[in-house]
Amino acid sequence: MPESLQQFFEARRQSVRKAREFATRALDGWGLTSRTEDIRLCVSELATNAVLHGTARGHGFLVRLDIDDNCVRLEVHDSRRQQPVVREPAATDVSGRGLTLVAALSDEWGVRDRTPLGKVIWSCFKTAGDDTTPISPPGSDRDDRPVEVR
């Protein structure tokens, strides 16, 4: 049975750590034993991109995790429609590898526009064969309604 958790974050650098901690709690609560580090790293990269490039002044971002029998889906919702670009940084560059890491670690990823504004960057992580049974953490009612990202 699918489960979903989401949390809104302010567009501040400290929120990247908080988003990673949120994901860790969700994955632990679901009893996920595989792909956890891949998902945590992708949360960090996508949250960082949201803070640095994806949020308009006065807006934040939302991290959503969904789990079903064979996949964890990570979504990061932000407030700008500007499409991300996968870069090929030089070996000496200290940044610019975030989406390259997401593409390498996830089984699939993409971007879609949000209504009324912004975009969602999503990635999926197959967990088939994992010994997990989704466990609903307290207050984890699934909710597919659109979420306003302020």
Side-chain angles (χ1 to χ4, degrees), residues 88-102:
E88 293 184 31
T92 56
D93 289 345
V94 295
S95 65
R97 293 175 179 78
L99 290 177
T100 301
L101 286 170
V102 170

Side-chain angles (χ1 to χ4, degrees), residues 27 30-34 67-70 127 129-135:
L27 298 170
W30 288 330
L32 187 68
T33 58
S34 68
I67 188 169
D68 63 24
D69 293 335
N70 61 5
T127 59
D130 200 341
D131 292 336
T132 63
T133 302
I135 301 167

Side-chain angles (χ1 to χ4, degrees), residues 35-142:
R35 308 295 308 264
T36 300
E37 290 307 313
D38 292 347
I39 297 167
R40 282 173 36 90
L41 181 55
C42 288
V43 167
S44 289
E45 295 299 334
L46 294 178
T48 298
N49 284 353
V51 169
L52 297 178
H53 311 292
T55 52
R57 172 176 241 111
H59 293 255
F61 65 98
L62 180 106
V63 175
R64 179 179 175 134
L65 289 164
D66 295 284
I67 188 169
D68 63 24
D69 293 335
N70 61 5
C71 182
V72 172
R73 180 181 172 98
L74 162 65
E75 294 180 354
V76 176
H77 300 232
D78 65 32
S79 58
R80 288 200 172 141
R81 285 261 166 106
Q82 178 183 356
Q83 296 293 303
V85 176
V86 178
R87 295 176 33 196
E88 293 184 31
T92 56
D93 289 345
V94 295
S95 65
R97 293 175 179 78
L99 290 177
T100 301
L101 286 170
V102 170
L105 295 173
S106 65
D107 294 298
E108 191 175 0
W109 76 280
V111 181
R112 66 178 169 81
D113 287 340
R114 292 184 77 251
T115 301
L117 64 112
K119 67 184 168 301
V120 177
I121 302 178
W122 58 269
S123 54
C124 291
F125 303 84
K126 293 178 184 173
T127 59
D130 200 341
D131 292 336
T132 63
T133 302
I135 301 167
S136 298
S140 67
D141 296 332
R142 182 169 174 87

